Amino acid sequence: FPTRRSSDLAHDAQEAAQRMDAGRRSLAGMVNESASLATAAAGGNLTPRAKASAFEGSYRELLEGINRLLDNVATPLDDVSRTLTLVANRDLAARVRGQYSGAFDQLAVSVNQAAINLDTALRQVQAASAQVASAGAQISSGSQALASGSSEQAASLEEISSSMTEFSSLTSYTL
């Protein structure tokens, strides 16, 4: 084995220490990025992304994976939120349009079915309301006809009564 000079060994040790220090800084930066994303996500904010381009190697790959994870969670939630906002604003034709897998598919199917059921129920209420309005109009018309008939009968009875009074007075006059 060739012998190395002490200056070479000192230089190698210094390079190793610099690499270790750079590795510690990268790891600390990655932990800070991850903690920042976790804090934002816990607060309901899925918009921030890690600055993966500021890192190299496995650190960069890990942060890119976290960013993809956030995208895969945020996209269906944004689609569901958009749909529910439209339904809340009375657009009952709104549906979750994206194609998702697993729990996100179940969420999309449930939101869409809820919108369909709400639309169906409101259409049924609208139809029942129209039937009630029609029945009310028929009852009103029937009541008017009954009132008119009763008025005519009352007039006829008045005439009969008047005639009977006249007849009675004629009969008492002739006797």
Side-chain angles (χ1 to χ4, degrees):
F1 292 102
T3 58
R4 296 189 66 173
R5 294 184 306 206
S6 64
S7 64
D8 289 340
L9 291 175
H11 177 63
D12 289 348
Q14 185 179 11
E15 281 183 4
Q18 288 173 345
R19 285 188 190 127
M20 289 288 287
D21 189 46
R24 275 192 292 268
R25 283 193 311 270
S26 288
L27 185 58
M30 191 186 72
V31 167
N32 287 338
E33 287 285 325
S34 299
S36 175
L37 294 176
T39 299
N45 184 1
L46 299 177
T47 303
R49 296 294 181 266
K51 295 172 191 77
S53 61
F55 298 88
E56 295 178 4
S58 297
Y59 297 130
R60 177 184 223 148
E61 290 175 22
L62 182 60
L63 291 175
E64 287 172 343
I66 291 171
N67 287 344
R68 279 191 306 276
L69 173 68
L70 286 170
D71 289 340
N72 290 332
V73 170
T75 299
L77 290 180
D78 289 345
D79 197 4
V80 165
S81 178
R82 176 197 56 79
T83 301
L84 289 174
T85 298
L86 290 170
V87 169
N89 289 320
R90 299 181 181 173
D91 178 0
L92 300 182
R95 300 291 181 267
V96 176
R97 300 288 180 208
Q99 299 297 312
Y100 305 108
S101 300
F104 296 118
D105 181 58
Q106 289 175 328
L107 180 62
V109 167
S110 295
V111 167
N112 286 344
Q113 191 60 53
I116 289 167
N117 291 347
L118 182 59
D119 186 41
T120 300
L122 289 177
R123 287 181 192 274
Q124 289 172 346
V125 167
Q126 184 180 26
S129 176
Q131 289 175 347
V132 167
S134 174
Q138 289 175 357
I139 289 170
S140 175
S141 174
S143 294
Q144 288 175 355
L146 181 62
S148 176
S150 295
S151 182
E152 287 175 13
Q153 285 182 352
S156 293
L157 285 173
E158 177 127 353
E159 278 183 39
I160 292 171
S161 173
S162 175
S163 294
M164 291 293 281
T165 305
E166 265 183 54
F167 182 69
S168 175
S169 80
L170 283 174
T171 334
S172 29
Y173 180 72
T174 55
L175 290 171

